Amino acid sequence: MSCKPMKKDESVSLAQHRRTFFTQAAAGVSLMALAPGVRLVELAMANSEDSLPSNDKRWGLLVDTAKCESGCDECVSACNSEHGLSGHGRPETDAQWIRKVDLKDEQTGHELSIPILCQHCEDPPCVDVCPTGASFRRADGIVLVDKHTCIGCRYCMMACPFQARSFIHEDLTGQKTHSPRGKGTVESCTLCVHRIDEDQEPACVEACREAGHDALVFGDLEDAAGPLASLSSKTATRELRPDLKLNTGVRYTSF
Amino acid sequence: MRAPTFQHMPSSTLFWGVVAIVTAFVVVGFASAHHMESAGHWVTGMNNRVVWGVPHVFAVFLIVSASGALNAASLASVFGRETYKPLSRLSALMAITLLVGGLTVLVLDLGRPDRLIVAMTHYNFRSIFAWNIFLYTGFIVVVVVYLWMMFEPRMNRFVGRLGTTAFAWRLILTTGTGSIFAFLAAREAFDSAVLAPMFIAMSLSFGTALTLILSALIFSIRGDGLPTALMLNLRQLLGYFVIAVAFFVIVDHLTRLYGAEHHSLERFILLDGGIYPMLFWIGQILLGTILPAVILMQRRYKTLATTIAAALLVLVGAFCQLYVLIIGGQAFPIDIVPGFSETSGFFDGVIAEYHPSLAEFGLGMGGVGLALLTYLIATRVLAFLPTSGFDSGPSS
Amino acid sequence: MRVKVINLDRTSIASLITLSLIFLLITGAAVADVVTPEVPMGRGAQCVEPIEIMRRDHFEFIKHQRDQTVYHGIRGSKHSLAGCIDCHASKGTEGEFLPINAEGQFCQTCHTYAAVKIDCFTCHATVPD
């Protein structure tokens, strides 16, 4: 578009000129705005299900400790088989993404049993401390390790208040296609992100339901009408290590 | 006083003998690293509860000492203490080689040391670790330039300015190293701002002890002893620094002992934590603090031999202190659900076991060996060794 | 500013051309002589991109896809590593899948030939699910 030096008798044509400019600019801007959208559509199509992870969602878990049975470890075995976490007979170095912990109130003697796993914090200390940014939080709140950039320094394991992470201490073979994992990197619960991306619930939640306990409720914390948020709003829930103000995505009720 | 003159280390059987010994350490170090990396970390004592072990004790020791090793150079060019001028080149050299040794241990302990390039190309600036990568490499660059200013007569006039930069840098660097632990809010043994100044005091103390030992070593390899005035000055400094570390250790424990919140942690470190109270009281306090303090403060022990002995004791204390801090701090269980006792098949609520393997000590010693080897070889390559300019008597 | 021009006389140009031709002939002959690896293709005959492009750029595709999957949860699109393995894994004598990174298999054959270490299979599955 050319701009000639303006003369007084050209004022009319200038208005026209300006209009043309705005029309063209608007077209340009909308094209720029649309182009990534078009790209997004293409990417979303590539995904087998509807949408990319977004800030509108925040996946979480609610553990009803009243329903969680001491001695039951269906969630743990479901996790192990889903992700191919086979032990090497060395409990100190074997991977553990979810574990059952028995609690006893030191004053009253009240006992309960809870699963502890990655709490998928809103402000995860593991993500803060990771030097390469391999520990990250996906837009929909799932805390993951990008094992392509993990250098195995284990600083995240120092920082995690829940001891939810494991370091892979040996060469592995026979990994699951959907759960790549290998020596020298750190890993933890992925909330079964491969299942969530295909609109399924995490393996532990499914196993708990199938075992007849139904102590784990999976859902979107931001969706007020959804199972997780509506249940959480009706009952007292707590997060582990509330002193750290991490706003965890995994919450506990009935204790 | 005339400006000091310098020479290369003359070749001698003794020199090459010492080089051979430290080379052996380096070989053992790399062999250990190779073993750990090819088999995986399960062959070490480190596990999912104690994730940092003996290699990190060595690495932190070397990195903290590196900063302190610059004391002599800083005193000469920043604080104008001419006594230390003959040692300034060696002091800067030591700072670089100790840091390189420490970083090598740290890198070789990574789960994926082959991905070092990732650490150099991907940064998360919320991580103090990422900042430290710049602080460490930057420190090496600053000290190399500092050395150049010292060596090049036309650049000598900038020594003061570079010395000040290096001095400020090393304080920040040690603060950064202390903050690696101090920022860990989740673990009550670490979560404390006092760690940063404590690490600075530790760097002054460990660095001065190493300056005494390594200078005495290098001078005796050349065939003369550490000049008495220099020895006496360093000795006096070391005494102050040992007290400074003790001050921070006492303040740290008193603060935690006051409220009920940290009583079980303090019980663990000071009373019933097995090896940790033992290392604390016998290693860190008795051997590493009280004994050297007495030796260094008493006039009748003012000999080279007792001073070196005190410096060695300070190093023994240093290792015990770092072991208790780094490993004891991890062995103590995290209270995930306060008010409840925790039991699980994954070591919740129990003291974590840690049995260091030989390979870990091998790797750590390899780092020390690498620092010494580069230190020794450098004295052959450039004129680091002072031949004159020593004070004739005690300056203080 | 003047650009310096190298002046060549006719003889030089002629000899340069001759030399280049000889070089081309020799290398051309050499290429024909080189033993290229025989790569078992699995059941994959028609790749997601033309073979020439895949030979050169497969890693770029996989790497791009990897970040899409890890950070954006985009799975099952055409440049996934799982897709490569699905198509190109061969079966052994008893009908079992052979690891794609085993000596003589699809990935490893070429990588041995090119002397490039593969890092994918420290973590990733080597046979189809």
Side-chain angles (χ1 to χ4, degrees), chain B residues 240-252:
Chain B
Y240 295 145
F241 294 149
V242 168
I243 301 297
V245 174
F247 167 75
F248 283 109
V249 170
I250 292 168
V251 167
D252 189 29

Side-chain angles (χ1 to χ4, degrees), chain A residues 198-232:
Chain A
E198 283 163 8
D199 279 353
Q200 288 174 291
E201 59 188 4
C204 53
V205 178
E206 192 181 273
C208 189
R209 177 174 311 112
E210 279 168 9
H213 301 304
D214 219 2
L216 299 172
V217 179
F218 167 75
D220 177 7
L221 289 159
E222 304 288 339
D223 176 13
L228 185 59
S230 56
L231 200 62
S232 306

Side-chain angles (χ1 to χ4, degrees), chain B residues 121-141:
Chain B
T121 49
H122 293 64
Y123 290 104
N124 164 29
F125 286 106
R126 284 180 67 87
S127 167
I128 185 68
F129 236 49
W131 282 97
N132 279 343
I133 294 173
F134 286 98
L135 289 176
Y136 296 153
T137 47
F139 181 72
I140 292 174
V141 172

Side-chain angles (χ1 to χ4, degrees), chain B residues 99 135 146 155-157 172 206 260 269 277 279 339 355 357 379:
Chain B
L99 188 58
L135 289 176
Y146 186 21
M155 294 293 173
N156 278 171
R157 62 203 164 99
I172 300 170
F206 307 168
I269 299 284
L279 287 176
H355 307 288
S357 66
T379 61

Side-chain angles (χ1 to χ4, degrees), chain B residues 377-392:
Chain B
I377 296 300
T379 61
R380 291 274 304 158
V381 178
L382 288 168
F384 279 101
L385 288 182
T387 47
S388 70
F390 303 114
D391 250 355
S392 43

